[in-house]
Amino acid sequence: LFKNKAGATINYSTTYENNDSTVVIQPAAPINFISKYTVSVSTTLKSVAGGSLLSGIDVNFLTQIDSTAKFPLLTDNALLDKVQQQTFKYFWDFGHPVSGMARERNTSGDLVTTGGTGFGIMAIPVAIKRNFITRAEGLARTLQIVNFYQNNCIPYHGAFAHWINGSTGATLPFSANDNGADLVETSYLMMGLLTARQYFNGVDVAENTLRNDINILYNNVEWDWFRQGGQNVLYWHYSTDKGWVMNLQIKGWNEALITYILAASSTTHGVPATVYSNGWKGANFINGNTYYGYQLPLGPALGGPLFFEHYTFMGVNPNGLNDVSANYATQTKNHTLINYNYCRANPKGWFGYSDSCWGLTASDYESGYTASSPTNDVGVIAPTAALASFPYTPNESKA
């Protein structure tokens, strides 16, 4: 029996080789690239002498990638324009019709996400600059989102939930105990809102109102509350009925540097430097090892998923940024180059990994969701990984 992943039977013919000791199976029609198939041989298969296999055999295999070009080649500029425009369309065309917020994924319906909404807000000034939308359209969408947060969503000491109902503003639990504030997601939202506040700098009533409303939202975040009783570390989650039961400290190196930057920057609920130095820079912060010829200042072995370098540095320029722990331009670039060279080396032998098909970061895949990295390589390339790394590895990302 020859079957595809869904269990449908594939028609085939057979021939024999090696003095009839090898059975060659030829599908009647071409089979798909990068697809799983199974060939099952049962004990009813007999030799001419009447012998049979001691047990049945299942051969599972994955077909190779077809790397031929499927579309006409574009110029570099045209390609970059198209990537920007299509990325923006996710947030713009697929934004929730009531709240304007970003949906969590392409099947989420009313489920919208606070962090993703912050990313979508950051895309609006770019879209205006690129003439994908007008300034008036971008302003209207940003006001829609800000008004929805102010009037519909539940603040938990000024912070918001990871998942929200885009029609009602009700909190949607991310997990059984994660049904309240998500401080990291809130920091991504605030990063986007502060970007919009600086961009929409007009003197008219609408832009002035937007800036004032954004200031209210940002100033209301009680970053210091998330020290959980004055500890020298920030905590990720808090809920009105579960309290601090999640008990997850925000420690680096990972995607949450922006959380400490915004907490330290707050003029209403700021945190002292000891929270940053003792909390964020806690255990397992420094790396210093070399992988594929590139030294990695911070983070786990081989760098972890690439979103560690993507999220904070949407709002913070790593170039020229240094402290006693790292040169952040080196950190962002070398982490990406380690990820790129790991994919090129392809130690697990996955079909398709190459210098033009690389990048491990968090994404959905056929079994659900995973944060792919060189130490968690399930054979899935996330296009966001290389594309979002353009500022660090322009040539490798362009390829």
Side-chain angles (χ1 to χ4, degrees):
L1 289 173
F2 189 3
K3 294 186 177 182
N4 64 16
K5 179 183 173 183
T9 298
I10 306 297
N11 294 323
Y12 66 90
S13 60
T14 56
T15 56
Y16 300 91
E17 294 180 355
N18 299 330
N19 295 320
D20 294 350
S21 65
T22 299
V23 182
V24 180
I25 296 172
Q26 179 66 44
I31 57 177
N32 296 325
F33 291 98
I34 327 182
S35 301
K36 292 181 178 179
Y37 292 91
T38 301
V39 174
S40 299
V41 185
S42 72
T43 55
T44 57
L45 177 70
K46 295 186 181 296
S47 70
V48 291
S52 62
L53 299 173
L54 295 176
S55 61
I57 297 172
D58 289 327
V59 180
N60 299 295
F61 66 92
L62 180 70
T63 53
Q64 296 192 48
I65 189 172
D66 175 12
S67 295
T68 58
K70 308 301 185 303
F71 301 95
L73 291 179
L74 301 176
T75 65
D76 289 344
N77 281 341
L79 177 61
L80 289 171
D81 287 349
K82 183 60 67 177
V83 169
Q84 281 191 327
Q85 188 168 22
Q86 296 304 104
T87 301
F88 173 70
K89 280 165 69 69
Y90 179 86
F91 298 105
W92 190 257
D93 293 354
F94 196 53
H96 193 280
V98 176
S99 64
M101 293 173 62
R103 287 180 165 101
E104 172 71 6
R105 42 178 49 81
N106 70 338
T107 57
S108 63
D110 278 333
L111 193 156
V112 295
T113 174
T114 289
T117 296
F119 299 159
I121 292 170
M122 294 190 85
I124 287 174
V126 178
I128 296 170
K129 178 74 173 178
R130 307 295 293 147
N131 295 316
F132 301 153
I133 57 172
T134 66
R135 185 181 182 95
E137 289 172 328
L139 174 63
R141 175 65 65 88
T142 310
L143 280 167
Q144 178 186 5
I145 293 169
V146 168
N147 290 336
F148 190 81
Y149 269 105
Q150 285 186 313
N151 299 322
N152 299 82
C153 300
I154 303 168
Y156 303 87
H157 292 270
F160 294 99
H162 187 152
W163 283 351
I164 291 172
N165 184 303
S167 291
T168 67
T171 293
L172 299 176
F174 189 74
S175 65
N177 292 321
D178 183 1
N179 65 341
D182 185 312
L183 194 64
V184 175
E185 289 286 308
T186 297
S187 67
Y188 300 148
L189 172 66
M190 294 301 155
M191 178 170 64
L193 290 176
L194 293 178
T195 300
R197 184 191 70 181
Q198 298 308 108
Y199 180 79
F200 290 106
N201 57 1
V203 297
D204 58 282
V205 173
E207 295 199 10
N208 190 60
T209 298
L210 176 66
R211 293 193 299 273
N212 290 335
D213 289 346
I214 289 173
N215 283 335
I216 291 170
L217 286 172
Y218 178 55
N219 290 332
N220 283 347
V221 181
E222 298 176 28
W223 307 94
D224 49 352
W225 166 265
F226 289 87
R227 295 174 65 183
Q228 194 186 149
Q231 299 178 55
N232 282 330
V233 66
L234 294 175
Y235 281 79
W236 204 302
H237 310 92
Y238 173 78
S239 111
T240 50
D241 63 326
K242 306 287 186 179
W244 302 100
V245 68
M246 294 288 289
N247 206 40
L248 179 60
Q249 296 180 345
I250 305 173
K251 291 190 171 185
W253 178 255
N254 55 40
E255 72 276 22
L257 172 61
I258 189 64
T259 308
Y260 278 88
I261 292 174
L262 292 179
S265 303
S266 172
T267 58
T268 54
H269 296 281
V271 301
T274 51
V275 177
Y276 173 79
S277 56
N278 294 350
W280 172 248
K281 292 186 174 184
N284 305 316
F285 185 74
I286 300 295
N287 188 306
N289 295 313
T290 298
Y291 309 94
Y292 297 100
Y294 296 95
Q295 187 181 48
L296 183 68
L298 308 173
L302 291 160
L306 279 179
F307 71 86
F308 284 6
E309 310 302 338
H310 292 155
Y311 292 178
T312 287
F313 298 109
M314 290 170 63
V316 179
N317 186 354
N319 296 310
L321 187 65
N322 298 274
D323 63 15
V324 295
S325 301
N327 176 311
Y328 289 89
T330 301
Q331 170 68 26
T332 52
K333 183 173 183 177
N334 284 6
H335 179 193
T336 310
L337 286 170
I338 290 165
N339 196 291
Y340 165 77
N341 280 286
Y342 170 88
C343 293
R344 276 207 321 171
N346 192 16
K348 289 195 170 184
W350 298 113
F351 287 140
Y353 283 32
S354 71
D355 58 2
S356 60
C357 185
W358 62 274
L360 303 177
T361 194
S363 72
D364 287 343
Y365 74 121
E366 65 176 357
S367 299
Y369 168 91
T370 192
S372 293
S373 72
T375 56
N376 179 39
D377 179 10
V378 298
V380 174
I381 296 296
T384 52
L387 294 178
S389 299
F390 255 104
Y392 317 135
T393 52
N395 293 327
E396 293 83 355
S397 295
K398 191 182 299 183

